Amino acid sequence: MSAHDAVPVSLAEIARIAGVGRAAVSNWRRRHDSFPTRIGGTDVSPQFSLAEVERWLRDSGKLSDIGGRELLWPRFEALGSRNESGLAIAEAARLMRSPEARTAHPDLSPRARGLVDRAAQVGREEGARETFEFLLQRWLETHVRQLSTTPPQLAALMARIALAVRLGPARGELTLLDPASGTGHLAAAAVREHDGPGLEVLACERDPALAALTAGRLAFLAEEHDIRPRIATADTLRDDPFAGAKADIALCNPPFNERDWGYEALATDQRWTHGLPPRTEPELAWVQHLLAHLKPGGAAVVVLPPAVASRKAGRRIRGSLLRTGALRAVVSLPPGSAQPHSVSLQLWILRAAPEGHATAPPSQHVLLVDATRFARPGTREPSPDWDGLGSFVLASMATLDQVDQDPPKGAVRVPLLDLLDDEVDVTPGRYTAATDEPSREELADKWSAFEALLTELADHSGRLSRLDFETGTSQTTTTVGDLVKAGALTLRAGQQPPETAATARGATVPLLTIADLLHDGTPSGVVPTASAPAVAEEGDVVVAGVARAFKAWVHEGPPIALGPQLHLLRVDTEKLEAHFLAGCLYAPTNGRQAGTHASSSSRVDIRRLQVLQLPLEKQMTYAETFRRLRAFEELLTTAHGSGRGLVSDMSDRLAAGGLTTH
């Protein structure tokens, strides 16, 4: 097999296949002349032939049994096309369940069909469902920036809400509708949450690869649950494949901000009972589509961007949804609950009028729930406290129809008269803020947490302040440039990706820029892995080479691509300790001395940065102290935020009056 035809794998992928750390693979490569030669990539991110790597691992006795699933994925990724690899995984799932079947999908290349047969064989040997879920998860991780999926925790919460608020028999066979199923996260969650005797699942997805993966996922669930799935590939707004069908519950995470959703073609559609959605309000088309498919008393839960609750163009439809009782509750989620992760998305809870609605007027209140406080503080990537969030939201939903029961703190039952004004704004935070003054107990808990922070700070302060330093001695230093020449580390500069990278196919990786560092440190872009000249992996040192954002740290977490003025330093672990290196580089005087001039926008010459010359054993001692210093710095930041929050809470309480003296 030529290098051109070989399936490429990185050092990280080799480590995953072999079940070892990346450093171990680097050592194998350095110490064994027989290790496969590089077939592509760069010096910093080399690529090797999967077949040669597999052969070398077996011949070298590095492992006795290579997992078939791990060896499968690089071959799927090598197909290049997101659609073809997704269809191939779905087709493999079909063959895993039906050994007598043959691959016959017309959109698959001969190479993909051969891979499908190989995957089906692995599935039969190692577990069909486990193999499918493994391949699906790797596929989703590879194409995370191209797909908008519903996290399993949010999907489960949405299913629980819908089952809790629907009106009808507590048990019995139900029908579920998901008109924008993606890869089936919501439908799968509903199947798991429903404890009744049967569930008919109506799922629709316009992307053929996603629809096929939904079918594969539900087919495996059907082996354990009493479900009857029907999956359609169609644009459900323009050409509804389930027209006339009615569902007990509906779940939906629709595409956001799509202007070309069929406004002209659907102007007279009978689904718009609350008004024709404006061209700029496609989300309200999805809301009415769901309502049109609900049985009397049926419930729907839909994920929406927060602007839908207040945009001027949609106020007439929002007013109609409120007056008819169709919109029963709105929940503001914490950032990180779903893509886009930086936005506080909302759940709209809808319910169709029950039987006999003519004699039972709709509720005169709407439940508004602000759950944004369940964001986990101090995390680089927004991540909700799912347990706390779920408990709070479900406790709030339990009061939806109990007018004599007060919602929990952070939720409020708002009269329609207060909502049906010129704006018809149903943003929860607008109405819950007035009831959010912390109680005496909550303030006491916050003060206790703050005092615990101060205690931890004092502990670090005491340890750091007791460090002793010799005077009158001169410690030898070297530069990053000299360490590169000596082979102790590899230096790679980040670059601006080419304009064509945005449309390139294949695996992608998050892109970190200086602007991201100045904001919150979260990568804001994405680039194809193949076009990223510097990709930091776990254990690499990253340096920001501009004075206003000068920083050095050891990267932890999944790989990230580095943009301009960011630099990757990969150490030889037998010569340098990464935390020791980062600590030396991060010294403010180091950055000033290596700067090109005094301006805050000046660049830092990374090769001129100074590093202590110490034996590896001594570096370990320094590294531990550097870690403590960074922990002290992070605690200071956390204490600052907590302190400001306490000042805000105390100010609100004082302004509300009621201060007592003792």
Side-chain angles (χ1 to χ4, degrees):
M1 178 182 293
S2 68
H4 178 74
D5 296 328
V7 174
V9 288
S10 66
L11 292 174
E13 288 171 322
I14 296 172
R16 189 194 293 262
I17 291 170
V20 298
R22 187 183 179 283
V25 180
S26 296
N27 287 335
W28 293 345
R29 185 188 180 199
R30 183 169 55 251
R31 294 176 178 176
H32 298 280
D33 294 336
S34 60
F35 193 87
T37 57
R38 194 184 98 191
I39 64 168
T42 64
D43 290 338
V44 175
S45 299
Q47 292 184 326
F48 306 85
S49 164
L50 175 61
E52 293 179 4
V53 166
E54 179 180 355
R55 189 180 308 113
W56 185 87
L57 289 172
R58 292 191 187 280
D59 293 345
S60 301
K62 299 300 181 184
L63 35 77
S64 57
D65 183 24
I66 298 176
R69 298 172 197 163
E70 290 290 357
L71 289 169
L72 274 177
W73 172 246
R75 293 181 166 88
F76 276 97
E77 190 173 23
L79 292 176
S81 166
R82 187 210 74 166
N83 289 337
E84 184 172 42
S85 58
L87 287 171
I89 292 171
E91 184 71 359
R94 185 179 69 85
L95 267 62
M96 291 176 199
R97 299 189 310 275
S98 304
E100 70 284 353
R102 294 291 180 267
T103 304
H105 200 291
D107 294 332
L108 295 181
S109 64
R111 181 182 182 186
R113 294 184 185 187
L115 182 55
V116 165
D117 292 335
R118 180 169 183 166
Q121 182 62 35
V122 171
R124 297 184 197 112
E125 294 172 354
E126 301 186 10
R129 182 172 179 179
E130 293 79 7
T131 300
F132 169 73
E133 289 292 346
F134 168 83
L135 292 173
L136 174 60
Q137 187 59 36
R138 294 298 300 273
W139 187 79
L140 291 172
E141 291 171 356
T142 299
H143 304 291
V144 64
R145 299 290 178 170
Q146 303 172 29
L147 302 169
S148 180
T149 59
T150 307
Q153 302 94 327
L154 179 59
L157 176 59
M158 292 171 64
R160 290 170 190 165
I161 293 172
L163 291 167
V165 305
R166 62 171 287 269
L167 301 176
R171 297 182 60 84
E173 183 168 319
L174 301 181
T175 298
L176 160 74
L177 171 69
D178 181 357
S181 67
T183 56
H185 286 79
L186 288 171
V191 170
R192 296 187 181 99
E193 295 298 328
H194 176 53
D195 60 358
L199 184 68
E200 181 182 27
V201 180
L202 309 179
C204 181
E205 172 55 51
R206 65 188 180 188
D207 185 314
L210 302 185
L213 290 168
T214 294
R217 173 175 270 169
L218 293 179
F220 279 115
L221 285 173
E223 296 175 355
E224 301 177 4
H225 301 269
D226 181 12
I227 64 172
R228 290 177 288 111
R230 292 168 55 194
I231 294 87
T233 303
D235 184 335
T236 192
L237 288 183
R238 297 174 185 267
D239 185 18
D240 186 359
F242 302 121
K246 296 293 183 178
D248 298 277
I249 59 173
L251 305 175
C252 189
N253 185 354
F256 298 160
N257 303 319
E258 285 196 339
R259 298 300 177 92
D260 185 22
W261 56 271
Y263 173 77
E264 292 86 357
L266 300 173
T268 60
D269 197 285
Q270 295 183 354
R271 287 171 291 182
W272 315 144
T273 58
H274 298 278
L276 172 63
R279 185 190 305 274
T280 57
E281 295 285 340
E283 294 84 7
L284 292 178
W286 286 100
V287 165
Q288 294 190 76
H289 174 80
L290 294 171
L291 285 169
H293 278 284
L294 289 181
K295 295 179 181 178
V301 183
V302 56
V303 183
L304 296 176
V308 181
S310 59
R311 279 195 297 237
K312 184 177 180 180
R315 63 183 178 181
R316 181 170 57 88
I317 294 178
R318 290 195 301 272
S320 177
L321 293 170
L322 291 171
R323 283 189 293 270
T324 58
L327 179 58
R328 299 297 297 118
V330 178
V331 178
S332 286
L333 298 169
S337 297
Q339 294 171 299
H341 293 292
S342 60
V343 177
S344 175
L345 298 171
Q346 293 179 352
L347 296 180
W348 280 28
I349 291 85
L350 312 163
R351 191 166 66 193
E355 296 284 3
H357 175 63
T359 60
S363 172
Q364 297 303 302
H365 298 82
V366 171
L367 183 66
L368 300 180
V369 182
D370 186 353
T372 55
R373 71 177 187 271
F374 289 96
R376 279 200 181 99
T379 55
R380 289 177 63 87
E381 292 284 348
S383 175
D385 171 9
W386 287 110
D387 290 339
L389 172 65
S391 298
F392 169 64
V393 172
L394 291 173
S396 300
M397 291 302 114
T399 69
L400 185 66
D401 299 311
Q402 307 298 324
V403 294
D404 57 344
Q405 182 178 351
D406 291 333
K409 184 177 177 58
V412 60
R413 190 179 290 111
V414 182
L416 294 188
L417 288 176
D418 293 345
L419 294 169
L420 295 172
D421 54 15
D422 292 338
E423 297 180 354
V424 195
D425 189 342
V426 293
T427 304
R430 179 175 179 179
Y431 303 91
T432 60
T435 63
D436 274 352
E437 292 87 357
S439 66
R440 180 186 305 173
E441 293 76 14
E442 289 172 329
L443 272 177
D445 290 342
K446 290 185 177 182
W447 278 114
S448 296
F450 184 68
E451 289 167 359
L453 275 175
L454 295 181
T455 299
E456 194 171 354
L457 268 172
D459 176 63
H460 282 289
S461 174
R463 292 173 180 267
L464 291 170
S465 65
R466 288 193 294 272
L467 293 175
D468 196 13
F469 298 90
E470 297 179 8
T471 58
T473 60
S474 178
Q475 181 67 53
T476 304
T477 63
T478 187
T479 65
V480 168
D482 288 336
L483 290 171
V484 171
K485 292 177 182 177
L489 59 84
T490 302
L491 172 63
R492 192 77 177 176
Q495 296 178 13
Q496 184 68 34
E499 293 183 3
T500 55
T503 57
R505 296 180 177 181
T508 59
V509 63
L511 174 68
L512 180 70
T513 65
I514 291 293
D516 296 332
L517 286 180
L518 293 173
H519 183 238
D520 62 0
T522 301
S524 59
V526 61
V527 296
T529 305
S531 66
V535 177
E537 299 182 352
E538 188 167 3
D540 290 337
V541 176
V542 181
V543 182
V546 63
R548 71 181 185 279
F550 179 67
K551 186 179 181 182
W553 71 97
V554 178
H555 176 64
E556 297 175 347
I560 57 171
L562 304 181
Q565 299 178 328
L566 288 171
H567 303 266
L568 162 68
L569 284 75
R570 184 162 293 158
V571 304
D572 180 340
T573 56
E574 295 183 353
K575 299 177 181 178
L576 276 175
E577 206 285 335
H579 288 276
F580 164 77
L581 175 64
C584 288
L585 300 181
Y586 191 31
T589 55
N590 211 353
R592 289 194 295 268
Q593 291 172 1
T596 55
H597 52 79
S599 168
S600 63
S601 62
S602 66
R603 296 186 179 184
V604 175
D605 187 345
I606 303 301
R607 291 180 176 272
R608 291 172 51 196
L609 291 172
Q610 300 289 313
V611 181
L612 286 171
Q613 281 190 299
L614 296 174
L616 192 59
E617 295 77 12
K618 189 72 170 178
Q619 290 180 33
M620 299 297 183
T621 302
Y622 273 76
E624 180 59 33
T625 305
F626 279 132
R627 284 195 185 95
R628 184 176 293 279
L629 193 59
R630 294 289 78 79
F632 180 70
E633 181 183 39
E634 291 173 4
L635 281 170
L636 282 174
T637 302
T638 304
H640 174 72
S642 298
R644 288 182 63 86
L646 278 168
V647 170
S648 176
D649 290 341
M650 290 294 291
S651 297
D652 283 340
R653 290 293 297 169
L654 287 169
L659 179 67
T660 60
T661 57
H662 298 282

